[in-house]
Amino acid sequence: MNEMSKIKRNPAAVKIANEILKEYDCDSLTDMQDALKEIFGPLFEGMLQGEMDNHLGYKSNSKEPKSTKNRRNGSNPKTLKTTMGEVEINAPRDRNGSFEPVIVPKRSKDVSDIEGKVLSMYARGMSQRDISSTIEDIYGFKVSHDMISDITNAILPEVEEWQNRPLKKCYPFVFVDCMYVSVRNDYEAKEEAVYVILGYDLQGQKEILGLWMDSTESKNYWMQVFDEIKARGVEDIFFISMDGVSGLESGAKAIFPGVVVQRCIVHLIRNSIRYVPTKDYKKFTADLKKVYGASSLKAAKTAFDTFCDNWKQYPGAIEVWKRNFLHVEQLFDYGSAVRKVMYTTNAIESVNSSFRKVTKKGSFPNHEAVFKLLYLRVKELQKKWDKGHLNNWSMVLNQLLVNDQFKDRIEKYIQY
């Protein structure tokens, strides 16, 4: 086995590191951090002096003729908040007060990118108290609750811009779902519905189209949501996968006439096993998979007849599938790769699961607080999604292209 190659070090960096270890007698991680913190001050001062040299056009103690009457004028003590804690420095100044440093701007005392750190912790569901304690533990300075609130409120215009941004013209697959969060109204906390739409575009990229809130989930509000995304540029949706909200299918088709509405098979399974004893869950769901996972519609119908006969002792469970069997049948109008995408809302349930991780700790003071947190969570998810498209997307797109129902619609929007 070949020996792993060693990391190449800058000789100058190695020399400085050895000198620091020798000078500060570092025996622990804390010693090393204290040493680095002490070095931060001279580093900042050296960089500021370099900026002053550039501003004045000459170096300190230079014997050369000077092209300006402006001169150095001592320094001001300044305490900086850094990633290593608070650091004392002497900030240079000039006589006419025209020096505007870049590395540490005038009146600035924070070079720790604390805003980014606060937003990152907020996006992970940490409370203001937890954020304040964490900042103090790690960086050695306090951040007030008011400051945290100001930092997070600063993104509200960004949230509003995102909520109203133009959308793509075509999303072959759209998944809709609701989750509930607790919002305080005066002294009472009430569960309210957060409407979430996840779309897959023609490149197989995931995108949260938006977030909306209402007192509860209803067909009428979903109609308003569909109207809004249409106004924001969406012209065509091929498939909408959803749970069974009464009237939602007709409402979706009223806004997007060409859409195929697919009931989530996983939700139907959950609805049906309510009528099945726990001891039979495993065998019951295995027989169901033979139905919706069949290779053809004919095989699915045969498997369904067998399923109904085998489980007739649970008529409530059988009735769920008889009422919704058309949603199983329509799956077989499309190729297997397309079926795999459209038959379940697992994709959006995964999104809502991610949301619940950061909303479960307690009640929100208002809707703005909900949108701030969920928007930051969306940004975290989008970073992951931007790294690649949906698995097997080329096969999905090919199966849609050979289907007369979608071929012309794809060619209208896709760029080859």
Side-chain angles (χ1 to χ4, degrees), residues 330-350:
Q330 74 178 9
L331 285 171
F332 295 92
D333 292 337
Y334 315 102
S336 59
V338 174
R339 292 203 301 269
K340 190 172 181 180
V341 176
M342 65 184 281
Y343 91 95
T344 176
T345 57
N346 279 356
I348 196 167
E349 288 190 28
S350 176

Side-chain angles (χ1 to χ4, degrees), residues 248-342:
L248 184 51
E249 181 172 353
S250 59
K253 288 182 176 179
I255 308 297
F256 298 102
V259 73
V260 175
V261 178
Q262 176 64 43
R263 282 290 306 274
C264 172
I265 299 298
V266 173
H267 277 91
L268 291 176
I269 292 172
R270 291 174 187 165
N271 292 342
S272 63
I273 61 174
R274 289 184 298 180
Y275 303 96
V276 178
T278 307
K279 66 182 178 65
D280 287 335
Y281 278 6
K282 189 173 182 180
K283 182 67 168 62
F284 181 86
T285 54
D287 283 357
L288 267 178
K289 191 170 184 179
K290 295 175 184 176
V291 179
Y292 63 82
S295 59
S296 66
L297 178 57
K298 182 178 179 181
K301 287 181 175 180
T302 300
F304 186 60
D305 289 340
T306 303
F307 169 80
C308 292
D309 188 53
N310 288 345
W311 298 99
K312 58 189 175 185
Q313 69 269 38
Y314 305 129
I318 297 298
E319 187 59 31
V320 169
W321 288 97
K322 285 184 175 180
R323 285 198 311 268
N324 292 282
F325 194 69
L326 62 93
H327 288 284
V328 177
E329 288 182 307
Q330 74 178 9
L331 285 171
F332 295 92
D333 292 337
Y334 315 102
S336 59
V338 174
R339 292 203 301 269
K340 190 172 181 180
V341 176
M342 65 184 281

Side-chain angles (χ1 to χ4, degrees), residues 49-64:
Q49 290 294 351
E51 286 193 66
M52 180 64 83
D53 290 347
N54 186 64
H55 175 69
L56 296 176
Y58 65 89
K59 293 184 178 181
S60 179
N61 300 321
S62 172
K63 303 297 184 183
E64 297 179 5

Side-chain angles (χ1 to χ4, degrees), residues 141-372:
F141 55 82
K142 293 183 178 180
V143 178
S144 70
H145 291 192
D146 287 341
M147 180 179 177
I148 294 170
S149 183
D150 289 343
I151 290 171
T152 57
N153 283 340
I155 69 163
L156 285 172
E158 186 181 334
V159 176
E160 184 176 358
E161 182 181 356
W162 177 80
Q163 285 280 63
N164 295 290
R165 75 195 188 283
L167 298 170
K168 297 182 177 75
K169 292 182 178 180
C170 179
Y171 293 89
F173 298 92
V174 162
F175 305 85
V176 303
D177 197 13
C178 262
M179 58 171 283
Y180 283 83
V181 298
S182 179
V183 180
R184 293 192 296 274
N185 184 5
D186 294 327
Y187 298 102
E188 181 183 6
K190 182 182 177 183
E191 293 290 307
E192 297 197 28
V194 178
Y195 291 66
V196 187
I197 296 185
L198 171 68
Y200 292 172
D201 65 18
L202 283 166
Q203 283 70 47
Q205 295 282 352
K206 291 182 181 181
E207 179 185 354
I208 301 291
L209 275 57
L211 303 168
W212 299 262
M213 286 190 71
D214 198 31
S215 57
T216 188
E217 183 179 15
S218 68
K219 167 198 168 184
N220 290 338
Y221 197 82
W222 271 120
M223 288 278 287
Q224 294 177 44
V225 169
F226 291 144
D227 259 333
E228 182 183 316
I229 65 171
K230 187 170 186 177
R232 286 166 56 197
V234 181
E235 297 178 359
D236 199 0
I237 296 172
F238 299 172
F239 300 97
I240 291 181
S241 184
M242 62 177 69
D243 191 10
V245 178
S246 178
L248 184 51
E249 181 172 353
S250 59
K253 288 182 176 179
I255 308 297
F256 298 102
V259 73
V260 175
V261 178
Q262 176 64 43
R263 282 290 306 274
C264 172
I265 299 298
V266 173
H267 277 91
L268 291 176
I269 292 172
R270 291 174 187 165
N271 292 342
S272 63
I273 61 174
R274 289 184 298 180
Y275 303 96
V276 178
T278 307
K279 66 182 178 65
D280 287 335
Y281 278 6
K282 189 173 182 180
K283 182 67 168 62
F284 181 86
T285 54
D287 283 357
L288 267 178
K289 191 170 184 179
K290 295 175 184 176
V291 179
Y292 63 82
S295 59
S296 66
L297 178 57
K298 182 178 179 181
K301 287 181 175 180
T302 300
F304 186 60
D305 289 340
T306 303
F307 169 80
C308 292
D309 188 53
N310 288 345
W311 298 99
K312 58 189 175 185
Q313 69 269 38
Y314 305 129
I318 297 298
E319 187 59 31
V320 169
W321 288 97
K322 285 184 175 180
R323 285 198 311 268
N324 292 282
F325 194 69
L326 62 93
H327 288 284
V328 177
E329 288 182 307
Q330 74 178 9
L331 285 171
F332 295 92
D333 292 337
Y334 315 102
S336 59
V338 174
R339 292 203 301 269
K340 190 172 181 180
V341 176
M342 65 184 281
Y343 91 95
T344 176
T345 57
N346 279 356
I348 196 167
E349 288 190 28
S350 176
V351 170
N352 282 345
S353 176
S354 176
F355 287 166
R356 288 188 187 96
K357 287 179 182 178
V358 298
T359 60
K360 65 184 179 182
K361 289 191 174 181
S363 300
F364 290 84
N366 49 48
H367 286 189
E368 284 184 343
V370 178
F371 284 124
K372 280 193 302 185

